Amino acid sequence: MTPKRNTVPSIRAMKGTRRIGMVTAYDYPSGRLADAAGADVILVGDSLGMVVLGYPDTLSVTVEDMLHHTRAVARGAVQTSLIVGDMPYLSYHVSVEESVRNAGRFIQAGAHAVKVEGGKPSRIKTIQAILDAEIPVMGHIGLTPQSVNALGGFRLQGKNNDDARRLIDEAIALAQAGCFAIVLEMVPSELAAIITERINIPTIGIGAGPHCDGQVLVWHDILGLYDGHTPKFVRRYANVGADMQSAIGQYLADVREGRFPDDATEAYHTANDEELKRIYGAAGVALDVPPKALN
Ligand code: KIV
């Protein structure tokens, strides 16, 4: 029997039942592999900007960039994973109408839901309008990378009581607005535990400790493919970057040393060998094609 695709209600229903495994993906192969590995949710994250496009932060990522990559992930992840498209900076900040239209473009690109950062009252209004257009929304609070300039860096959030209280209020507001899950990024484990207990939708942690209903990590961090700063909450499960570099290095050495391609196993041959040599292989046969003859 073909396994069924996770849905927004099925992910929501996992709260209190089993932990949710979410991972980012950015293209056809990562979408296909994450799906085949059994990811409950695949996030086409705007971390794309840093780990795929080489920007120092996520702020330069555009809706067009995100849609291009969402389409590729959707072509790869065709089995069970729910696909969430991350709305990039400026795509939901200007007006409610523009935000709804941009969110809809993600759905048309193959996402099943969108993720929006922040939980202040004006953001809740925008999220309600997106939900009103039948587009499921995943919230994201704590360290919200699109606010890196306002926050003064990629740092732990909710450290003092006032900030902790604000984050609890935002989580409750997002849940009451109708979000189906909330990412908690870089907040103390104890605060994540309180938020997880206080709301009736799943929390998905990243640098938020083990008490969340699920966890998310960035594809390149899990696999050892990113050479930028790696925060302490990342667990690296492979060193694929080093393997890739070594494989490409071996290929280049084989080319330079004449070991690739092998004429017996990695090349095509013609039955016309003798004739070809007889006609064209003899010294003195003019092989230069005058440019005119190409027209
Ligand atoms: O863009 C992203 O990858 C994210 C996750 C880290 C939650 O927002």
Side-chain angles (χ1 to χ4, degrees), residues 191 213 263 277:
L191 175 60
D213 298 302
D263 202 32
K277 277 191 197 142

Side-chain angles (χ1 to χ4, degrees), residues 245-261:
Q245 188 173 331
S246 152
I248 299 297
Q250 285 171 48
Y251 155 71
L252 295 172
D254 282 352
V255 169
R256 287 182 192 123
E257 302 297 324
R259 292 187 296 263
F260 177 82

